[in-house]
Amino acid sequence: MTGFRLNHSGLGAGLCALLAMGQAHAADALHGKSLYLNGPPGGGAACARCHTASPAANINKVMSGADNPAAISAAIAANKGGMGNIYGGKFSAVDLADLAAFIGNPGVVAAPAASLNPSSLAFSGTALGQASSALSATLANTGSGALTIDTIGVTGAAAADFSIAGGTCAAGAAIAAGANCTVLVGFKPKVAGARNASLAVAHNGTGGSSSVALSGTGNATPQATIGVSAASVNFGALVTNVVSAPQSVTVNNSGQTALTFSAMTLAGANSAIFTLGGDCALDKPLASGATCAVTVRAQPTASGAFAGNLTLLSNAANGTVTIGLSGSGASAQAAATATPGALAFGSQAIGAAGAAQNVTLTNTGNVAFTFASLAVNGSAAIKVAPGSHCGVALAPGATCSVPLLFAPTAEGAAAATLVASYNGGTVQVAVSGTGTAAAVAKPTLSDTGTIGFGEIQVGKSAAPHTTVLSNPGTAALKIATLALDGANGADFILGGSCAVNGTVSPAGSCTIETSFKPGAPGARNASLLLLTDGGTQFSLPLTGTGTAIAAAPALTLAPQSFDFGTSAASKRFTLSNAGSAVINLSSANFSGPFARVADASACPALPFALQPGASCDMVIGYTPAAAGASNGSVVLQADGGSSWTIALAGQAAATPANTPPAQNRGGGGCSSVRDGSDPMLALLALMAAAVLFWRRRNPAQS
């Protein structure tokens, strides 16, 4: 770019079309800066090559294009300074507008801009000491640079009645241009009447801070607050005309006064099949902080899905509670499956100790049954291991294991069938193996049955389970297949040192790690499949249950920050559980010259559980090591990853310097000189010499 001349041909025509659209494009000087310094997207030299990095230098009259895309277009069209050869067809009309905007504003830099919405949050009337449901505000970065959050807090006359209850925004975090985060605010009034404060977020955006007006009303009358352990109950598959096992829901009162039930009603399309029980009762008030249980049984009378709901009416300030009830009914049916569906022992040495593998039998029906017999038909080299197996009644969904042995006595293939008989039919599993006199591997797994992970919250991972694959055989083995299979295979995780195509030498081993990370609530099932190059096949069932995501912990801190000033006195900070679930506080991490002070009346030693509605005090002391301002914090951690921060500060006064004791040095303590020459000594010597001279001149007066 060595100068510009207006020309409406070529790119200039495209620019004129843009202008004809009423300046629809808002020029982006930052994008223009990138084009200027790096060249067009389609490739080519950067403008800075001829005009230097800053257009402000006006090298080759580049400032002629300041806020004037038409001039730039014309210069390219006229091939001014060879610009047409370099940039012809490579800048769009939008690019030219952005480029002109940068030349007109060469000092432009990326800058954040904050938008906090809504402008106000209004909480409903809440009983004193009780916590309302949290409300959310969204902080968005509408600028072009990263928005850094300095602090998040509550200010104003009634700031102590409001608290930061969570969200994705955090002090010190950076929000990219176009992104956003949320702040959850809680309300727990300590004083009756209207309460007002502000949510304040300090940041590096324009204005330096953003705020949201907060308002709520504290109700002086103590009230009860109801909570339940589950919002719904699923009975699963039930046998028609058979009463189910009771399902229990725990009811708690986190309010300040007794909770009294006015009605417990069943409703819905199939309400007649449900019956109530438990120790919650209309004539039994539930004291503050106490719990009771409501039990529900179902007895479906027809096949198919059923549904209903349980409604608890009470004097609770937070209203009526409704619990959904569901399940399905089916006529009695016994059914079973086997895992694996076929079992392969692969090659085994003749005369060696028998190789062992398990078959897992599962009751997939809706009634309990007992396997009447377990038999192996076929090769005599394959048999059920000695002992009693699967001899007890299996409830629906339960499993048992049948260990099989393969001990070949001759070379060649061996085949048999495991037949498990029960009162609804039989389950059959084909079993195979090969006897050989050659050196063979002998793959062995440390686990022989189902690997169960229990209940894990959706989205969280269970602790890994380690299974060892060892080879006590006389030849190396190679892993041909190692995978997860089954309906919910994606909910399980596979790891460890064993790998496909990996080799395990004789007397060697490797590990297989499995874990469970449920993606949805309910029972989740899969299988761990392992196949070696010798034909040996293993299949281990994997089970786990996903539980619904618990409500976010609602811990409030009062105060949320504190400046000790020059005081050495400790400060009490109140921790309150404003939610409906227990908060398991695991640790408190201090920074700066601050530490927890032991106090018999304060919170117990960590870790400890803070029950819903409960509170305790944490006592913190300030012990500065040097004069000057001090800053720090304490970060409280809870199980599940939640954390809360108390900001701390102090100002240590300087310690007065110690004055050294006076010492009788020099002339009788008159001299201030400690070392070196003292003028007082010379004066004293002169006076002594004068006295001696006088006495010699006047001996009679001596």
Side-chain angles (χ1 to χ4, degrees):
M1 297 183 185
T2 58
F4 302 101
R5 179 169 56 87
L6 186 61
N7 189 314
H8 289 287
S9 64
L11 288 173
L15 184 61
C16 289
L18 179 67
L19 297 173
M21 294 171 62
Q23 298 290 349
H25 170 66
D28 183 353
L30 281 173
H31 179 236
K33 181 177 182 179
S34 176
L35 295 172
Y36 182 91
L37 297 175
N38 304 308
C47 302
R49 189 185 70 173
C50 297
H51 302 288
T52 73
S54 175
N58 199 25
I59 302 299
N60 294 324
K61 301 180 180 179
V62 70
M63 290 301 292
S64 299
D67 299 312
N68 190 356
I72 303 175
S73 176
I76 294 173
N79 198 23
K80 189 72 172 179
M83 290 174 61
N85 297 332
I86 300 173
Y87 301 121
K90 293 185 177 181
F91 282 127
S92 69
V94 169
D95 290 339
L96 290 171
D98 294 344
L99 188 58
F102 169 63
I103 296 172
N105 182 20
V108 66
V109 294
S115 171
L116 185 58
N117 290 299
S119 59
S120 63
L121 295 175
F123 294 85
S124 58
T126 305
L128 297 185
Q130 298 301 298
S132 70
S133 298
L135 298 180
S136 176
T138 299
L139 177 66
N141 182 0
T142 58
S144 54
L147 178 69
T148 302
I149 300 174
D150 295 326
T151 59
I152 303 174
V154 178
T155 62
D161 290 3
F162 300 86
S163 63
I164 306 301
T168 57
C169 297
I175 306 172
N180 61 65
C181 65
T182 58
V183 181
L184 293 179
V185 182
F187 176 50
K188 186 177 182 180
K190 298 177 176 62
V191 179
R195 313 300 292 156
N196 296 282
S198 295
L199 166 64
V201 180
H203 49 68
N204 67 333
T206 303
S209 65
S210 301
S211 64
V212 172
L214 306 176
S215 62
T217 302
N219 296 327
T221 304
Q223 293 178 296
T225 303
I226 190 171
V228 292
S229 60
S232 62
V233 174
N234 190 331
F235 287 87
L238 301 178
V239 180
T240 54
N241 299 311
V242 176
V243 178
S244 73
Q247 298 288 331
S248 180
V249 176
T250 300
V251 180
N252 68 74
N253 175 15
S254 58
Q256 298 172 310
T257 190
L259 174 71
T260 57
F261 299 100
S262 55
M264 299 181 187
T265 59
L266 291 166
N270 308 113
S271 59
I273 72 171
F274 301 105
T275 55
L276 296 179
D279 57 355
C280 295
L282 301 184
D283 58 353
K284 185 179 178 182
L286 190 62
S288 174
T291 63
C292 64
V294 176
T295 60
V296 187
R297 293 177 183 265
Q299 185 177 351
T301 56
S303 297
F306 59 79
N309 55 70
L310 165 63
T311 299
L312 304 178
L313 297 174
S314 68
N315 65 332
N318 55 333
T320 299
V321 172
T322 299
I323 300 167
L325 308 173
S326 62
S328 62
S331 55
Q333 182 178 5
T337 59
T339 304
L343 186 62
F345 281 95
S347 297
Q348 300 295 327
I350 297 171
Q357 287 203 54
N358 276 21
V359 173
T360 300
L361 302 178
T362 304
N363 180 352
T364 55
N366 56 13
V367 293
F369 63 76
T370 302
F371 284 100
S373 66
L374 302 171
V376 174
N377 301 327
S379 171
I382 301 172
K383 62 184 67 177
V384 176
S388 176
H389 311 292
C390 293
V392 298
L394 284 185
T399 64
C400 64
S401 296
V402 181
L404 297 180
L405 297 177
F406 175 44
T409 57
E411 289 191 302
T417 302
L418 168 66
V419 180
S421 301
Y422 59 97
N423 60 340
T426 61
V427 177
Q428 299 187 16
V429 178
V431 186
S432 63
T434 302
T436 179
V440 295
K442 188 177 181 181
T444 304
L445 289 182
S446 58
D447 288 298
T448 57
T450 301
I451 300 174
F453 291 94
E455 294 186 351
I456 300 295
Q457 190 179 102
V458 171
K460 296 187 180 297
S461 297
H465 176 87
T466 300
T467 301
V468 179
L469 170 63
S470 57
N471 178 17
T474 55
L477 66 85
K478 185 176 182 180
I479 300 173
T481 300
L482 180 60
L484 296 172
D485 191 25
N488 309 121
D491 288 355
F492 295 85
I493 302 169
L494 183 62
S497 61
C498 297
V500 175
N501 295 323
T503 299
V504 181
S505 59
S509 65
C510 64
T511 59
I512 304 169
E513 287 190 352
T514 48
S515 186
F516 175 46
K517 186 177 182 180
R524 320 299 286 171
N525 300 282
S527 295
L528 170 64
L529 300 179
L530 173 66
L531 179 65
T532 71
D533 59 340
T536 304
Q537 175 184 311
F538 296 94
S539 180
L540 297 179
L542 307 175
T543 64
T545 300
T547 59
I549 298 174
L555 183 70
T556 60
L557 311 173
Q560 291 181 316
S561 62
F562 185 72
D563 189 341
F564 284 82
T566 59
S567 173
S570 58
K571 172 67 178 176
R572 302 180 78 89
F573 294 81
T574 301
L575 316 182
S576 302
N577 184 350
S580 58
V582 174
I583 299 176
N584 293 304
L585 291 168
S586 56
S587 65
N589 301 312
F590 286 85
S591 64
F594 306 94
R596 187 174 181 184
V597 176
D599 190 304
S601 64
C603 299
L606 291 160
F608 68 90
L610 192 61
Q611 300 295 325
S615 63
C616 65
D617 289 346
M618 176 174 284
V619 184
I620 298 177
Y622 172 44
T623 54
S630 302
N631 291 285
S633 66
V634 55
V635 179
L636 302 174
Q637 297 281 354
D639 291 353
S642 297
S643 65
W644 300 264
T645 301
I646 301 174
L648 304 171
Q651 181 71 44
T655 303
N658 293 325
T659 302
Q663 300 187 37
N664 189 19
R665 296 180 181 271
C670 299
S671 175
S672 61
V673 177
R674 178 172 179 174
D675 296 303
S677 300
D678 189 343
M680 182 62 70
L681 295 178
L683 177 61
L684 292 174
L686 182 60
M687 292 175 65
V691 171
L692 290 174
F693 177 77
W694 181 81
R695 285 184 176 182
R696 288 175 182 174
R697 294 290 301 270
N698 302 280
Q701 299 181 20
S702 301

